[in-house]
Amino acid sequence: MGTLGRAIYTVGFWVRETGQALDRLGCRLQGNYYFQEQRKHRTLMNIFDKAPVVDKDAFVAPGASVMGDVLVGRGSSIWYGCVLRGDVNSISVGSGTNIQDNSLVHVAKSNLSGKVLPTIIGDNVTVGEHYDEGHSAVLHGCTVEDEAFVGMGATLLDGVVVEKHAMVAAGALVRQNTRIPTGECDVKQVWGGNPAKFLRKLTEEEIAFISQSATNYSNLAQVHAAENAKLFDEIEFEKVLRKKFAKKDEEYDSMLGVVRELPPELILPNNVLPDKEPKAK
């Protein structure tokens, strides 16, 4: 790059920096009105004469899309990037259920034999997770009963029924009209593969994990809901607090005999990670 090129590059750089600085200043002056202008996406949207019904204690993340004849029960959570499209039929999500990031839930008007195929998801179901990872499951015109588990990237086609406490493994493709049973004598089953088939029984650790997973995500959704409800001024105030306490070093402070109290706004609720005991004071 020659001298002229470097000069043009430098001028361009400072023009961009000035523009960004002016944009930040404008946002501060607009405050909460800026947030209102930026929210163009409609998280909840009517289709024909049908409108989503979301319980006041449920969490629908910004960027998710819940459309048409959709019912979301108490304490359930619809995470970022999810699409629930109840246009030609209905979608029902029970209580305490979580639909993980980028998952798709759709319906079928009917199958070839004329059977109506809404999508029904029961209570305390986890959709689109695999232990500490996620997400992106596809549920289409199927039924997932209470406390069942659908792993990340799994696909459930029209007419599938996942019975109570059963698990669909990550990446599985469950073909049309397949029924995944709880099992004889309440033996809980894992199905996986393409096409999905019975793999093995669930271990005691997996059974406990499925039960705890829905509770964990219900608690975590409360934190996300509170964060997303904050006003512009609150966010700016917390930025100042975080900057002030960013360089706190507990070992160095103890050597100096300094005790710094963490502002309550920055303390994560204990029930988000129920497996971890709070530190003794």
Side-chain angles (χ1 to χ4, degrees):
M1 183 183 295
T3 303
L4 179 60
R6 285 196 297 270
I8 293 174
Y9 176 86
T10 302
V11 171
F13 173 81
W14 285 111
V15 168
R16 292 182 62 192
E17 287 292 308
T18 303
Q20 291 174 10
L22 290 173
D23 182 61
R24 289 192 293 269
L25 176 60
C27 291
R28 288 177 181 274
L29 293 175
Q30 286 185 296
N32 293 328
Y33 294 105
Y34 167 74
F35 270 21
Q36 294 172 10
E37 288 181 4
Q38 293 302 307
R39 291 174 178 173
K40 304 295 185 183
H41 173 74
R42 294 173 61 187
T43 302
L44 305 179
M45 189 175 77
N46 295 8
I47 297 290
F48 306 121
D49 61 338
K50 302 295 185 181
V53 178
V54 179
D55 188 273
K56 62 182 180 64
D57 292 325
F59 169 64
V60 179
S65 298
V66 179
M67 297 168 277
D69 192 0
V70 180
L71 174 66
V72 180
R74 182 175 183 176
S76 290
S77 52
I78 312 300
W79 291 82
Y80 305 93
C82 286
V83 175
L84 279 69
R85 180 156 60 93
D87 42 17
V88 298
N89 218 319
S90 63
I91 296 172
S92 175
V93 179
S95 301
T97 287
N98 60 94
I99 312 295
Q100 289 296 302
D101 308 63
N102 296 320
S103 293
L104 169 65
V105 181
H106 193 217
V107 292
K109 190 171 184 179
S110 62
N111 60 13
L112 294 175
S113 62
K115 182 181 179 181
V116 177
L117 292 174
T119 295
I120 302 171
I121 304 172
D123 299 337
N124 302 316
V125 173
T126 294
V127 175
E129 194 192 17
H130 182 57
Y131 298 95
D132 59 347
E133 300 178 274
H135 306 289
S136 302
V138 176
L139 278 65
H140 198 279
C142 59
T143 297
V144 182
E145 296 183 356
D146 297 349
E147 298 182 16
F149 185 97
V150 179
M152 67 173 185
T155 300
L156 279 59
L157 299 179
D158 294 355
V160 166
V161 176
V162 181
E163 293 186 0
K164 187 175 181 178
H165 295 139
M167 174 187 277
V168 178
L173 173 62
V174 187
R175 293 190 295 186
Q176 293 178 347
N177 303 317
T178 300
R179 177 175 288 270
I180 298 178
T182 297
E184 297 179 2
C185 301
D186 201 33
V187 174
K188 300 170 178 63
Q189 298 187 2
V190 182
W191 283 52
N194 182 0
K197 59 183 179 181
F198 172 74
L199 298 179
R200 58 178 174 80
K201 297 188 297 183
L202 283 169
T203 65
E204 292 299 323
E205 291 78 9
E206 288 168 333
I207 295 170
F209 169 77
I210 292 174
S211 177
Q212 189 62 46
S213 177
T215 301
N216 289 349
Y217 272 104
S218 181
N219 293 334
L220 186 59
Q222 295 177 29
V223 178
H224 282 256
E227 186 67 31
N228 281 287
K230 288 178 180 176
L231 300 176
F232 181 82
D233 294 339
E234 293 177 289
I235 295 172
E236 290 299 299
F237 174 68
E238 288 189 4
K239 284 182 181 178
V240 174
L241 290 179
R242 291 182 191 281
K243 185 175 181 181
K244 179 178 179 180
F245 287 88
K247 297 183 180 179
K248 184 182 75 169
D249 186 294
E250 294 182 0
E251 184 176 352
Y252 181 73
D253 285 350
S254 65
M255 292 173 60
L256 298 178
V258 175
V259 178
R260 307 190 202 195
E261 294 293 333
L262 191 66
E265 294 88 347
L266 304 184
I267 298 176
L268 196 67
N270 291 331
N271 63 355
V272 176
L273 298 173
D275 295 334
K276 294 189 177 180
E277 295 294 332
K279 293 182 179 179
K281 295 184 178 179

